[in-house]
Structure formats: structure tokens, C-alpha cells
Amino acid sequence: MRVFLATALAMLGTLGGTSQEPDAPIVVIDPGHPSEIGRGTTGKSVSEMELCWKVALLAKEQLSDQGWEVYLTKQSMNQMVKNRDRAAVANRVKADLMVRLHADYA
């Protein structure tokens, strides 16, 4: 998980986002499941829902520290959000980027 997170954050970091910029880039992070599709996969040690939630919180913290304006599509791990509502969050805040987190194996 640490390698994945470090790689993802490094990729996002190359897109900009310093506190000196007048308009900070806006990113929406969607931690995935639960949705109308289901609760995601259940891994041997952690569920997809838990893994994606933890990665989203870490990414939010690190990107915020780099000057990004960061929103999550939900406020708690178990909050059910429909897929169309996830996209609506990004549209509402006029996001520059939306990242949807999913994990097929944990």
C-alpha cells in the first residue's frame, strides 16, 4: 500500500499545487464503496472499502500540505454514495482532477 500511495502522490504532485499559487488546484478523491454496486472486495487482511478510505485520508493530508484544495466524496468509510453523486461532488467544486480509488485485491 505504501508504494502505491507514494507513486500516486508523486504523480499528483507533478501537476502543481504550491501554497504560493493564487488559485490552488482542486482535487476530489473518491474512496469508492459502498455504492449502489456493492461494498467492494473483501481481502485477506483488509477490505477494499477500508484500504481505499485509509489511502484517501493519507492522500488528502499530503496533498493539502502541498497546497491542494482537497475534497472527499464522502465523510465516513461506511457512508453509501451513489456513483452519480460522486461525480456531482467534482462538478460542484469545479475540480481540476477527480481520483477514484478502488482495489481488486487487498
Side-chain angles (χ1 to χ4, degrees), residues 25-75:
I26 300 170
V27 63
V28 171
I29 301 172
D30 173 28
H33 302 288
S35 70
E36 66 272 30
I37 305 301
R39 296 187 59 81
T41 62
T42 54
K44 292 181 180 179
S45 60
V46 64
S47 69
E48 176 181 11
M49 197 166 56
E50 183 181 356
L51 176 68
C52 291
W53 179 249
K54 288 179 178 181
V55 169
L57 294 179
L58 287 170
K60 180 180 181 184
E61 179 183 341
Q62 291 187 18
L63 290 170
S64 293
D65 288 348
Q66 292 177 24
W68 287 72
E69 190 173 337
V70 183
Y71 297 89
L72 298 179
T73 57
K74 59 185 186 173
Q75 301 306 308

